Amino acid sequence: MKKIAVSLIVLGMMAFGTVGLAAPKTTSTPVKLGQNILDVVKQKTGMTKEEFEAKRAEIKNLMEQKQAELRNEIQAKRENLQSQIEAKRTELRNRLAKIKDENKKQIVERIYNQVNELNKRMTDHFLNVLERLEKVLERISSRAAKAEANGHDVSAVKTAITEATNAINTAKTAVQNQAVKVYSVTVNTESTLKSDTEKIRQALHNDLKNVFALVRTAQEAVRKAATTLAQIPAVDELEMPATQPATTTQPTP
Amino acid sequence: MDQNIQDQNIQPNIEPKIEQGGKKSIIWVIVGVIVILILLGIWYWLAQKKVVTPVAPTAVPMPAPQAPAPTAQPSAPQVPAAPKEDSVSSINQELNSIDTGNLDQEFQAIDADLNSL
């Protein structure tokens, strides 16, 4: 009798084990830096809604982590530049000593401060814009991935996303370089004071204009990706399947 | 004395009965556990096998141009569902809210100072 009981237990365990082994295993590979959800979906076919959301959250975290790292890097460089800005201010004061008009001296020094402050403010602003564009692009990737999972052709959106990503990265590098620049006035004589001071204003303006153009290019690239995405019929209705589908079916238009 | 002899005669007959009853209950417990395991296995297998096919988007009927007919029963006010975070409308809304700024406007204060030099 005992033998029968033991045999039954073993049989039961084997049956349960076989069912467990036959069930598909969900292996998850970590998301790489710079990957978007479309790349992840491409790597793993038949991704469930839960897996998709988990991967998306992972990508978002990585993106935010990278953004924070860039900000910290810029901040650290700026702190190092602080002594350089101070040194140039002292140098400017020494050069301004030969100028008799006290009011003009103050204005030049104020412009020096304003120019460097404006550079900081604008590069921070551009960085904010680029971070927001990155987040929008992540949303576009998510929606495109859902469309792809439902059998739609998203090659045009993918191309637009890649272009936008490149544009954002180019603009980010430009902002990073611009953020650590220091502008100084080279005062010659009292008669050339205005033109000497105008030079740093113009230098900053030209530099910021170039960065601004890159930021606008990135914005337009993201807009293009959004417009391309919107061309997919009923794209907002598409979702990832709740569980792994046996076959992918294309929704009827 | 007779009673003692009678007890001794009965005892050997009771013990095997108790042993048999204990064995039976153990077997029932084991069978119960096996049945539960098998049922769990079947449930798990079915849960994994369950297929959810994507629902084809249904066309939303456009509202008729004429005024809606009055309803007999007062219905609850229709609250529009919030757009999904990655919906096209939400994406466009976010994109439109991103202001890259006006560079020349930012230079106004510097230009004013420069003009007073």
Side-chain angles (χ1 to χ4, degrees):
Chain A
M1 203 63 184
K2 271 187 181 175
K3 279 184 182 175
I4 295 167
V6 170
S7 305
L8 281 170
I9 291 171
V10 171
L11 268 171
M13 298 293 266
M14 278 172 73
F16 190 65
T18 313
V19 169
L21 283 171
K25 293 278 175 293
T26 52
T27 51
S28 106
T29 46
V31 175
K32 288 174 197 164
L33 199 65
Q35 252 188 333
N36 64 38
I37 193 71
L38 264 167
D39 300 328
V40 178
V41 169
K42 194 183 174 184
Q43 277 176 5
K44 191 181 186 303
T45 48
M47 190 181 264
T48 63
K49 191 177 181 178
E50 293 75 24
E51 285 173 331
F52 177 82
E53 290 304 332
K55 284 284 172 199
R56 215 185 140 196
E58 208 180 318
I59 287 168
K60 273 185 184 178
N61 280 342
L62 262 177
M63 185 177 74
E64 279 164 15
Q65 200 182 314
K66 201 182 161 192
Q67 288 174 349
E69 276 172 18
L70 181 64
R71 277 189 179 277
N72 291 340
E73 199 182 312
I74 290 173
Q75 189 55 37
K77 281 182 182 172
R78 273 180 182 157
E79 277 166 19
N80 290 338
L81 281 175
Q82 224 28 61
S83 57
Q84 200 180 325
I85 291 172
E86 282 301 319
K88 289 202 176 202
R89 187 179 285 121
T90 312
E91 195 185 317
L92 177 66
R93 277 178 190 157
N94 292 338
R95 281 176 180 269
L96 283 170
K98 59 190 168 191
I99 308 295
K100 287 170 188 169
D101 191 331
E102 280 300 318
N103 189 37
K104 281 184 178 177
K105 278 184 189 179
Q106 281 177 11
I107 291 171
V108 173
E109 203 176 323
R110 194 161 65 226
I111 290 172
Y112 169 80
N113 291 337
Q114 281 175 331
V115 163
N116 286 296
E117 266 303 307
L118 182 59
N119 187 40
K120 183 184 178 294
R121 202 168 69 241
M122 287 311 287
T123 47
D124 277 344
H125 170 68
F126 291 148
L127 210 57
N128 272 334
V129 168
L130 292 171
E131 282 176 1
R132 285 180 72 185
L133 288 175
E134 260 186 332
K135 283 175 185 167
V136 172
L137 199 59
E138 190 280 324
R139 291 189 197 181
I140 295 172
S141 299
S142 161
R143 184 51 56 193
K146 286 173 185 173
E148 191 173 42
N150 283 275
H152 285 273
D153 177 19
V154 293
S155 53
V157 187
K158 275 183 185 176
T159 309
I161 288 171
T162 308
E163 282 170 6
T165 307
N166 292 341
I168 289 173
N169 288 339
T170 308
K172 264 189 173 182
T173 309
V175 171
Q176 203 176 351
N177 294 334
Q178 181 62 33
V180 293
K181 281 187 182 175
V182 178
Y183 293 86
S184 58
V185 188
T186 310
V187 178
N188 294 310
T189 59
E190 191 154 358
S191 58
T192 61
L193 192 60
K194 189 177 179 181
S195 60
D196 290 340
T197 315
E198 257 175 353
K199 278 177 190 165
I200 65 158
R201 183 261 181 217
Q202 209 48 46
L204 176 71
H205 191 270
N206 290 342
D207 288 346
L208 287 180
K209 205 175 164 186
N210 291 336
V211 181
F212 182 78
L214 291 172
V215 173
R216 286 301 295 267
T217 305
Q219 191 185 29
E220 286 312 309
V222 176
R223 196 179 291 280
K224 188 187 167 192
T227 311
T228 316
L229 175 78
Q231 284 165 5
I232 297 171
V235 70
D236 283 351
E237 308 293 325
L238 306 170
E239 286 300 330
M240 293 298 286
T243 54
Q244 192 172 340
T247 50
T248 50
T249 52
Q250 186 150 359
T252 48
Chain B
M1 187 71 176
D2 282 349
Q3 184 69 34
N4 278 344
I5 293 162
Q6 219 173 359
D7 281 356
Q8 275 175 354
N9 289 338
I10 293 163
Q11 249 181 339
N13 290 335
I14 294 166
E15 272 181 7
K17 273 186 184 175
I18 294 163
E19 209 175 299
Q20 269 189 334
K23 273 185 182 176
K24 271 188 181 177
S25 63
I26 288 167
I27 289 165
W28 278 117
V29 168
I30 290 164
V31 168
V33 168
I34 291 163
V35 167
I36 289 167
L37 280 172
I38 291 168
L39 285 173
L40 272 171
I42 292 166
W43 170 78
Y44 187 69
W45 181 63
L46 285 174
Q48 291 296 318
K49 208 183 169 188
K50 194 179 173 186
V51 175
V52 177
T53 47
V55 181
T58 49
V60 179
M62 292 295 286
Q66 65 267 24
T71 49
Q73 285 178 342
S75 58
Q78 294 267 318
V79 179
K84 287 168 218 154
E85 186 213 28
D86 59 354
S87 67
V88 171
S89 60
S90 173
I91 287 167
N92 283 334
Q93 200 181 345
E94 178 65 15
L95 256 178
N96 291 334
S97 73
I98 298 175
D99 180 20
T100 47
N102 186 335
L103 207 54
D104 290 327
Q105 205 176 328
E106 297 294 335
F107 275 88
Q108 273 178 0
I110 295 172
D111 289 342
D113 269 344
L114 265 173
N115 288 332
S116 60
L117 270 178

